[in-house]
Amino acid sequence: AEHQHARYNPLRDDWVLVSAHRVKRPWQGQLEKPPPEDVPRWDPNNPLCPGATRANGEVNPQYEGTFVFPNDFPALQPDAPEPGDSDHPLFQAAAARGVCKVMCFHPWSDLTLPLMSLAEIRAVIDTWAELAAELGASYPWVQIFENKGAMMGCSNPHPHCQVWASSFLPNEAHLEDRTQRQHLTQHGVPMLLEYAEQEARRKERLVVENTDWLVVVPYWATWPYQTLLLPRRHVCRLQDLCKGERDSLASIMQRLLIKYDNLFEVSFPYSMGWHGAPMGPYLEEDCRHWQLHAHYYPPLLRSATVRKFMVGYEMLAQAQRDLTPEQAAERLRSLPEVHYKRRAK
């Protein structure tokens, strides 16, 4: 807790430097602008709102729940041509095809997931699972991810996420496939199933838990308040969750995200995403080494205006963090589960 040391991340096969004493250093660096508190519930100029016109001229329906549509500026397209042959091994290119969708969580722009009802969060989870199954029938990788807050590159305050399906396994998926496969071969149990059982027993990095799920600040966390959301049973893909597990997932997501917002009493920025077993041609293969999980990567370190920067040593050497995962978990764990905006004045 007081001295620097390195921790191994078996999921990524790399190391993080933990330097807990550095959080005490005075800060004279950049201060971030807190997120706006006056987001209008409906804005005809917001392209994600019901009834609004998007950049391509399409008019959104007057949706009342979740709403999914093709990304108007997709990073992947299904009909991209093959790149030309390489004339040297240092200059390689490969085909990259896919589809990109945007998914609105709710018709109101002034809501975020922690302020939505359990039924509304459950509807988000069901739509995630439907998209994973639909796109996964054709594509090997379906990446569901949410960038929340301008600090994480989100250009629109409306509650939404993105879903990108690709014809290839991206780097992180390829890496996690390898490490989880190796762990199952060597130890006879899926890595993250064993890890969840260990963390549930040790409890020192536990943030919230229920019958089906637990959230921990992982032992190898890189970001200050990074968390890992894990099921207690062995499940490979999001669409494999039963009704009860989807209900309890809605509950634990709400509890976690309320704690995040309560930490600095601000709409907490983060990037999050689901990782599960590959699909497409992999549906016919043995993927028992995979365990479904979600990563949450929030940037805030000391306050709503001081963030963690991944620069210098992190970019040129290895990841480094300024407080221990145990300290971060204890702080999150101790926070109330009533949102600060809804407490009695």
Side-chain angles (χ1 to χ4, degrees), residues 14-45:
D14 64 10
W15 292 80
V16 57
L17 175 62
V18 182
S19 309
H21 57 283
R22 276 174 54 83
V23 79
K24 299 175 184 177
R25 74 192 192 281
W27 182 259
Q28 295 181 326
Q30 179 172 315
L31 298 179
E32 306 295 333
K33 183 179 179 180
E37 296 284 346
D38 57 349
V39 177
R41 178 156 293 182
W42 183 82
D43 181 354
N45 296 316

Side-chain angles (χ1 to χ4, degrees), residues 26 67 74 86 110 139 166-167 194 199 215 218 222 231 267 287 294 343:
F67 170 52
S86 172
D110 59 344
Y139 291 98
S166 61
S167 61
E194 181 178 10
E199 290 287 29
V215 176
T222 298
S267 184
C287 290
R343 292 181 204 150

